[in-house]
Amino acid sequence: MNGAESLINALAEQGIEACFANPGTSEMQLVAALDKQPGIRAVLCLFEGVVTGAADGYGRMADKPALTLLHLGPGFANGIANLHNAQRARSPILNMIGDHATDHLEHDAPLTSDIRGLATPVSQTFTVSESADSLAQTGLDALAASLHYPGSISTFVVPADHAWSAVSDPAHRPSAIPAPSQVSDECIAEIGEQLKSHRPSCLFLGGRALRSDALHHAGRIAAATGCRLITETFFARQARGAGRVPTERLAYFGEAATEQLAGLELVVLAGAKAPVSFFAYPGKPSLLVPENAAQHTLAGEGVDALDALSRLADYLGAPDAPEVTASAPPYPLGEGPVDANELGKVIANRLPHNAIICDEGATNGLGAFLLTGNAAPHDWLTLTGGAIGQGLPLAIGAAIACPAQKVIALEADGSGMYTVQALWTMVREKLDITVLILNNRSYAILNIELHRVGVETPGPTALSLLDLSNPDLHWTDIAHGMGMHAVKVETVAALDQAFEAAMVKKGPSLIEVML
Amino acid sequence: MNGAESLINALAEQGIEACFANPGTSEMQLVAALDKQPGIRAVLCLFEGVVTGAADGYGRMADKPALTLLHLGPGFANGIANLHNAQRARSPILNMIGDHATDHLEHDAPLTSDIRGLATPVSQTFTVSESADSLAQTGLDALAASLHYPGSISTFVVPADHAWSAVSDPAHRPSAIPAPSQVSDECIAEIGEQLKSHRPSCLFLGGRALRSDALHHAGRIAAATGCRLITETFFARQARGAGRVPTERLAYFGEAATEQLAGLELVVLAGAKAPVSFFAYPGKPSLLVPENAAQHTLAGEGVDALDALSRLADYLGAPDAPEVTASAPPYPLGEGPVDANELGKVIANRLPHNAIICDEGATNGLGAFLLTGNAAPHDWLTLTGGAIGQGLPLAIGAAIACPAQKVIALEADGSGMYTVQALWTMVREKLDITVLILNNRSYAILNIELHRVGVETPGPTALSLLDLSNPDLHWTDIAHGMGMHAVKVETVAALDQAFEAAMVKKGPSLIEVML
């Protein structure tokens, strides 16, 4: 047995079931080891941003890490942006980076780079294997680190010689997974009393507090105290739809968010940090909570949000059953061209039970979010870190974690181009994903932002840098080029028909929605 | 005048003419400043790997930097892999990264990241603007640093508030550009005597030693001493073809390279480090120069290679005119399907004068290299750092630096998918680029490497991780999706016809070559 086999087998025994991969020469022994290990599904991606984005989607839905397989520093570097997003989502991810053999490093061959330097900004833990014998233990320790509640990015490096060398002592043991912290009884009591005495108030929810079980208790607290339930603008995963506890989502633009939070006397944080403006603007504040509101943290970094909410609800003697969202009759559809609102209606009307929506729809995704509050119960996943190019890969990971659930990728055209290679993996792996490309031929958000940052009269060069026409992108052609079924729709009726067809059959397809 | 305008105008005055850009909200003032500055051509790329790869191609051909415009840490991170390649090519590049306003950073908004940590591994210099007033000077200092011979990656950060704030004191001055070092007369004399007394010997050439003027003197040295002229395997830019001094290229695989260098008594390095194996393999050496060969450095890091070679040739009393390559009659073409050899013949026969070939052709690019030695004079650019996804962006940069020269991108299918978004920019900017996609539906090099690292009997999972069929990539569809003229060819005759058509007209087109 060589080091690679020892490692891969140990990870499979400890529950690793998926590996998103783009290997090269230095990882061939790891590829051979994966080949012999039927417990791990190896998924080839044509770019590392797809690898890490898929691992993020998998981690959010499975609550355990997928393995990534990356080719030295530059291969890892291609995955950094989506690791940035994953880090903001607190997703568990286990990155395995191949490197040159240890005695080859000093010669500074072309692919040699500072892997530690590149990895540290997006890894909570980073280790380098020390020998073939200890490689499996290095992997198991990294796996345990990735499960640090609610999830952590754990990266380890496999020098090629540790992978190819024979293992003389295969001893290794699973590492202990640290339990999440729990909030103290005193804190529960203090926040409980604050909620009783301050109105208006809100629970500001994010992270694991947005799962259905945690939201159930948040709803009980709202029933007991009248507090509002407000979510982060960009959350990792929220349980929504009929039968779930309704929430408000914090607005994206700082002015709107400030207005939304105006008048609150108390903000209680659970699974979320205090909200701040996404960007700064001349003369506008960064912090969004009203200055004179009291602010308390119920469940901060590493604290079990479900436990905290349930104990707070019990402390308050809250009713067992919170108010939940009713399902609504289908929306009547408009006629003619599609807009964000009509798109939202079509999705809401036809959303399958337990669908997963990966939302990188940018300016045109908001209608779908707003209109699906009463739709069939589903999970909504967002772009947590602002680094675009996450939506299509995220859908891959979600589909592999949850093969029985329909995945819908709401994808803005500009963002989609970043990791367009994801379509190929969807086809290869026959994933049950419907991609909705929202084609408005523009980085539309930037046209808004240009004015918001004080640029009053943009000229042609400025406008051209925000424009995706000239040439137009034809997403159906791009999809066909990667073997994907694709149709283009320009009217609400055509969208409705295409979306219905995509919902009733399994497998990957793309609908290019002209907006 | 705000900080952004002050900066952009100062850079334009000091000769910056191109900016490859993918901006976001935090860079809107820089976009507005570019808009007002007609001296800089702003080129939108749909992914940052295209931005930095294009800056590499520009730097190699213009010998001065292009500016990049990147969106915070994650946007920069998407460009790291091609900066790694550019660093290996010693290309001058000036990276301008937008960041949050300074007083917004502490709030850890979603896009906040450790930009310094991410940038340092691929930047020789890294600075952060300290004020709106000093922003232009920060940019000018960074520009000078990028010109550190032969070229350097210089990165600076522009906080949004420094861009948008009014400049009260616009004073700034161009920074001194450090001159390259020169080799000492003693070193010239010593190496001269060594070359006279040791046979067989070689000049091992890379970097600026592969420009036509430097090669002229290398050829004179060869004429005087009988030394061989051997180049790096992966060089930034080599002048080749009829009328140029012929060289041998070091083989990629270590065994072949060792054999090629066997028996040498003396190796003189000029513009290149001593060659090492690209990867390590079990039981094989990393160093390729014979153990008992003497090794001397004529022109090392930062030393003017042209000056060193010309002075050495003069020291040796070398003839004024070296032997140069003759042009050759057209190759007779074969019939039937295309292979690497026939592809090479077609290119050699029809290569326009002064073409620029960007070679990321991997296993199928070698035939074209070998067969174009006697073709019309041209420049050949290679993948210097091994991080695939460089070829298409490189072609963009070369075409913008040299609008009068035809650019040919030899692109392997697997590598091309990494930065496929480059096709869109080629169309938008109407660049005179012919893309030859070498479609063999495989990471073919890895099938070879799998055996070379000792994996004897790969199973289906291993093979599938190296395979690009299932689904097949249809590059003509992908190109059409980005508005690019594209044809697919399966025979030598069809390739010859399509390539001829592409050579006689200006503008972007793609030929998908089925191999």
Side-chain angles (χ1 to χ4, degrees):
Chain A
M1 183 188 288
N2 65 27
E5 291 160 349
S6 162
L7 168 67
I8 296 298
N9 293 345
L11 294 175
E13 278 162 25
Q14 290 309 311
I16 290 288
E17 295 182 281
C19 175
F20 300 101
N22 190 293
T25 299
S26 37
E27 295 79 39
M28 284 299 108
Q29 301 288 350
L30 294 166
V31 166
L34 283 166
D35 191 53
K36 295 179 188 152
Q37 175 46 258
I40 298 180
R41 179 174 180 177
V43 177
L44 178 62
C45 304
L46 297 186
F47 179 69
E48 293 88 349
V50 181
V51 168
T52 54
D56 184 8
Y58 184 95
R60 293 192 200 185
M61 294 310 301
D63 287 335
K64 69 177 191 180
L67 188 63
T68 69
L69 172 51
L70 299 161
H71 185 47
L72 301 101
F76 178 82
N78 282 328
I80 288 174
N82 271 336
L83 290 174
H84 169 88
N85 291 321
Q87 194 168 29
R88 294 280 174 192
R90 300 278 183 244
S91 299
I93 293 183
L94 182 57
N95 291 312
M96 175 169 69
I97 311 177
D99 196 9
H100 287 309
T102 42
D103 60 4
H104 194 60
L105 277 176
E106 65 178 299
H107 302 300
D108 193 37
L111 273 163
T112 307
S113 68
D114 176 8
I115 299 181
R116 182 183 296 272
L118 292 169
T120 302
V122 286
S123 305
Q124 274 70 56
T125 57
F126 175 86
T127 49
V128 180
S129 165
E130 293 182 351
S131 69
D133 274 0
S134 63
L135 177 54
Q137 191 63 53
T138 298
L140 292 178
D141 293 348
L143 169 57
S146 76
L147 288 162
H148 216 288
Y149 179 89
S152 178
I153 299 181
S154 181
T155 300
F156 68 105
V157 174
V158 183
D161 53 329
H162 298 180
W164 77 48
S165 297
V167 169
S168 54
D169 173 13
H172 51 76
R173 55 180 173 67
S175 304
I177 295 160
S181 314
Q182 296 199 327
V183 64
S184 68
D185 287 334
E186 292 69 30
C187 183
I188 294 277
E190 186 190 348
I191 291 176
E193 295 309 313
Q194 291 274 335
L195 280 166
K196 285 185 196 169
S197 60
H198 284 74
R199 300 248 171 132
S201 63
C202 85
L203 288 183
F204 188 70
L205 303 163
R208 291 282 184 106
L210 296 179
R211 303 298 175 84
S212 63
D213 48 5
L215 280 173
H216 169 86
H217 296 295
R220 293 175 58 209
I221 295 165
T225 67
C227 71
R228 291 160 65 191
L229 302 179
I230 306 180
T231 77
E232 293 177 305
T233 310
F234 297 108
F235 43 78
R237 172 181 167 191
Q238 183 183 3
R240 307 174 71 230
R244 262 91 184 247
V245 170
T247 58
E248 305 169 54
R249 184 178 180 183
L250 189 67
Y252 172 74
F253 289 124
E255 309 89 291
T258 302
E259 196 173 316
Q260 191 175 356
L261 302 180
L264 283 172
E265 302 265 322
L266 170 66
V267 173
V268 174
L269 306 172
K273 296 189 305 178
V276 300
S277 173
F278 203 86
F279 290 106
Y281 301 91
K284 291 184 185 157
S286 292
L287 297 176
L288 302 175
V289 172
E291 262 183 49
N292 47 9
Q295 191 173 295
H296 290 269
T297 299
L298 173 69
E301 189 71 36
V303 174
D304 188 333
L306 170 60
D307 169 75
L309 289 164
S310 96
R311 283 165 55 209
L312 178 58
D314 291 347
Y315 175 87
L316 291 163
D320 285 345
E323 189 188 332
V324 296
T325 304
S327 63
Y331 293 104
L333 299 181
E335 288 185 2
V338 185
D339 61 19
N341 203 45
E342 293 298 324
L343 172 69
K345 291 192 212 165
V346 167
I347 294 173
N349 288 353
R350 300 203 180 273
L351 197 66
H353 195 82
N354 272 340
I356 301 164
I357 299 186
C358 297
D359 173 11
E360 194 176 40
T363 45
N364 278 304
L366 191 60
F369 182 84
L370 294 173
L371 287 155
T372 47
N374 301 76
H378 60 276
D379 281 313
W380 197 281
L381 281 56
T382 81
L383 174 59
T384 46
I388 61 174
Q390 176 236 39
L392 299 176
L394 202 72
I396 291 174
I400 286 179
C402 305
Q405 293 171 250
K406 174 70 82 177
V407 177
I408 296 162
L410 271 181
E411 190 62 38
D413 50 354
S415 303
M417 282 304 290
Y418 267 59
T419 44
V420 63
Q421 308 89 346
L423 300 180
W424 184 86
T425 296
M426 294 178 188
V427 176
R428 166 174 270 220
E429 298 292 329
K430 301 182 174 60
L431 302 179
D432 192 16
I433 299 171
T434 301
V435 176
L436 292 166
I437 295 290
L438 313 183
N439 191 342
N440 61 2
R441 297 160 293 283
S442 168
Y443 290 121
I445 185 71
L446 296 184
N447 282 296
I448 301 168
E449 295 283 22
L450 194 62
H451 293 279
R452 282 168 41 83
V453 300
V455 177
E456 298 301 337
T457 51
T461 300
L463 292 175
S464 81
L465 285 174
L466 318 182
D467 165 56
L468 299 179
S469 67
N470 179 26
D472 283 338
L473 291 164
H474 303 289
W475 277 87
T476 51
D477 288 334
I478 292 172
H480 291 153
M482 288 183 252
M484 196 165 196
H485 175 78
V487 295
K488 174 173 168 175
V489 300
E490 312 206 38
T491 64
V492 177
L495 168 64
D496 190 47
Q497 189 181 5
F499 192 68
E500 179 187 19
M503 291 304 102
V504 297
K505 76 161 201 269
K506 283 201 84 142
S509 67
L510 182 144
I511 304 171
E512 181 177 14
V513 185
M514 304 308 288
L515 289 155
Chain B
M1 183 187 292
N2 64 27
E5 291 159 350
S6 161
L7 167 68
I8 295 297
N9 294 344
L11 293 175
E13 278 162 26
Q14 290 308 311
I16 290 287
E17 295 183 280
C19 175
F20 301 101
N22 190 293
T25 298
S26 37
E27 295 78 39
M28 284 300 108
Q29 301 288 350
L30 295 165
V31 166
L34 283 166
D35 192 53
K36 294 179 191 153
Q37 175 45 258
I40 298 180
R41 178 173 180 178
V43 177
L44 178 61
C45 304
L46 298 187
F47 179 68
E48 292 89 349
V50 181
V51 168
T52 55
D56 184 9
Y58 184 94
R60 293 192 202 185
M61 294 311 301
D63 287 335
K64 70 177 192 180
L67 188 63
T68 69
L69 173 52
L70 299 162
H71 184 46
L72 302 100
F76 178 82
N78 282 329
I80 288 174
N82 272 336
L83 290 174
H84 169 88
N85 291 321
Q87 194 170 29
R88 294 282 174 190
R90 299 280 181 241
S91 300
I93 293 183
L94 183 57
N95 292 312
M96 176 169 68
I97 311 177
D99 197 8
H100 286 308
T102 42
D103 60 4
H104 195 60
L105 277 176
E106 65 177 299
H107 302 300
D108 193 37
L111 272 163
T112 308
S113 68
D114 176 8
I115 299 181
R116 181 182 295 272
L118 291 169
T120 302
V122 287
S123 305
Q124 274 70 58
T125 57
F126 175 86
T127 48
V128 179
S129 165
E130 292 181 353
S131 69
D133 274 359
S134 62
L135 176 54
Q137 192 62 53
T138 299
L140 291 178
D141 293 347
L143 168 56
S146 77
L147 287 162
H148 216 288
Y149 179 88
S152 179
I153 299 181
S154 182
T155 300
F156 69 105
V157 173
V158 183
D161 53 329
H162 298 183
W164 78 48
S165 296
V167 169
S168 54
D169 172 14
H172 50 76
R173 53 179 173 69
S175 304
I177 294 160
S181 315
Q182 296 199 326
V183 65
S184 68
D185 288 334
E186 293 69 29
C187 183
I188 294 277
E190 186 190 347
I191 291 175
E193 295 308 314
Q194 291 273 334
L195 279 167
K196 286 185 195 168
S197 61
H198 285 75
R199 300 250 170 126
S201 63
C202 85
L203 288 183
F204 188 70
L205 303 163
R208 292 281 183 106
L210 296 180
R211 303 297 176 84
S212 64
D213 49 4
L215 279 173
H216 169 86
H217 296 294
R220 293 175 59 210
I221 295 165
T225 66
C227 72
R228 292 160 64 191
L229 302 179
I230 306 179
T231 77
E232 294 177 306
T233 309
F234 297 108
F235 42 78
R237 172 181 168 191
Q238 183 183 2
R240 307 174 71 230
R244 263 90 184 250
V245 170
T247 58
E248 307 168 53
R249 182 178 180 185
L250 188 67
Y252 172 73
F253 288 125
E255 309 89 290
T258 302
E259 196 172 314
Q260 192 176 355
L261 302 180
L264 284 172
E265 301 264 321
L266 171 65
V267 173
V268 174
L269 306 173
K273 295 189 306 177
V276 299
S277 173
F278 203 86
F279 288 106
Y281 301 91
K284 291 183 185 157
S286 291
L287 297 175
L288 302 175
V289 172
E291 262 183 48
N292 45 12
Q295 189 172 295
H296 290 268
T297 299
L298 173 69
E301 189 71 37
V303 174
D304 188 333
L306 169 61
D307 170 75
L309 288 165
S310 93
R311 284 164 57 208
L312 178 58
D314 292 346
Y315 175 87
L316 290 164
D320 284 345
E323 188 188 332
V324 296
T325 304
S327 64
Y331 293 104
L333 300 181
E335 290 185 358
V338 184
D339 61 20
N341 203 48
E342 293 299 325
L343 171 69
K345 290 192 214 166
V346 168
I347 294 172
N349 288 353
R350 300 203 179 274
L351 198 65
H353 197 81
N354 272 340
I356 300 164
I357 300 186
C358 298
D359 174 11
E360 194 175 41
T363 46
N364 279 303
L366 191 58
F369 182 84
L370 294 173
L371 287 155
T372 48
N374 301 77
H378 60 275
D379 281 312
W380 197 281
L381 281 55
T382 80
L383 174 60
T384 45
I388 62 175
Q390 176 235 37
L392 299 176
L394 201 72
I396 290 173
I400 285 179
C402 306
Q405 294 171 252
K406 175 70 85 176
V407 177
I408 296 162
L410 271 180
E411 190 62 39
D413 50 354
S415 303
M417 281 303 290
Y418 266 59
T419 44
V420 63
Q421 307 89 346
L423 301 179
W424 184 85
T425 296
M426 295 179 187
V427 176
R428 164 174 274 222
E429 298 292 328
K430 300 182 174 62
L431 303 179
D432 192 15
I433 300 171
T434 301
V435 176
L436 292 165
I437 294 290
L438 313 183
N439 190 342
N440 63 2
R441 296 160 295 282
S442 168
Y443 290 121
I445 186 71
L446 295 184
N447 282 296
I448 300 168
E449 295 284 23
L450 195 63
H451 293 280
R452 283 167 41 83
V453 300
V455 177
E456 298 302 338
T457 51
T461 299
L463 292 176
S464 80
L465 285 174
L466 317 182
D467 166 57
L468 299 179
S469 66
N470 179 27
D472 283 338
L473 291 165
H474 302 290
W475 277 88
T476 50
D477 288 333
I478 292 172
H480 292 153
M482 287 183 254
M484 194 164 198
H485 175 78
V487 294
K488 174 173 168 175
V489 300
E490 313 207 37
T491 65
V492 177
L495 169 63
D496 190 47
Q497 190 181 2
F499 192 69
E500 180 187 17
M503 291 305 100
V504 297
K505 76 162 200 271
K506 281 201 85 146
S509 68
L510 181 144
I511 305 172
E512 181 177 15
V513 185
M514 304 307 289
L515 290 155

